[in-house]
Amino acid sequence: MSPLLQAPPAPGIDSTPILGSIERLASERHRGVTFVSARGRRVVPYADLVERVRRVASALRSRGLHPGDAVVVVLPDPEEAIAAILGAMAAGVAPAPIYPPTGLEAMPVFLRHLAHLLERSGARRVIAAARLMPFLGAVPQPV
């Protein structure tokens, strides 16, 4: 086991679960998460992020995922990826994120890696960008 995982808890670390902390931010409309990309800078208010997290959690549950299940997340957009990862956590589902291929030439390696991740994680569902769906073939049902 990694020494990092065996380290004693540091004093002053808040032990409040992350999702409880996120829920407390739901009323925040003037502060948020800043995303910077080639398209520019965008601030997503915490209230909007919390709403997205709730929608993802609800969608996962309505599609038959239960606490302890895993879901693979394949989203190139950081804003979508964060909402999906936190939404999975809110549903009690373990997110297994993987970055999508950057071009068609990388697709075969990506699909082999995805198959390995699906097998190892036991994930029955995949959250993927719409543009990737035609390439996913025989992976478990997309969300």
Side-chain angles (χ1 to χ4, degrees), residues 87-119:
M89 292 170 62
V93 175
I98 178 175
Y99 197 79
T102 55
L104 286 177
E105 66 282 351
M107 191 61 71
V109 172
F110 166 77
L111 290 173
R112 283 194 303 275
H113 184 64
L114 176 61
H116 176 76
L117 182 60
L118 289 164
E119 180 184 332

Side-chain angles (χ1 to χ4, degrees), residues 19-107:
L19 297 171
S21 298
I22 291 169
E23 283 292 329
R24 283 196 304 277
L25 295 171
S27 63
E28 289 283 342
R29 288 236 155 257
H30 296 58
R31 293 180 10 197
V33 178
T34 302
F35 294 92
V36 179
S37 71
R39 294 176 298 203
R41 183 177 182 270
R42 174 171 156 68
V43 177
V44 176
Y46 287 126
D48 293 352
L49 177 61
V50 170
E51 180 56 32
R52 290 179 192 174
V53 166
R54 289 175 180 155
R55 283 194 309 248
V56 170
S58 177
L60 292 173
R61 288 290 180 87
S62 72
R63 286 165 173 81
L65 287 153
H66 303 286
D69 288 343
V71 65
V72 173
V73 178
V74 189
L75 296 168
D77 181 74
E79 215 174 298
E80 292 178 0
I82 287 175
I85 290 166
L86 293 175
M89 292 170 62
V93 175
I98 178 175
Y99 197 79
T102 55
L104 286 177
E105 66 282 351
M107 191 61 71

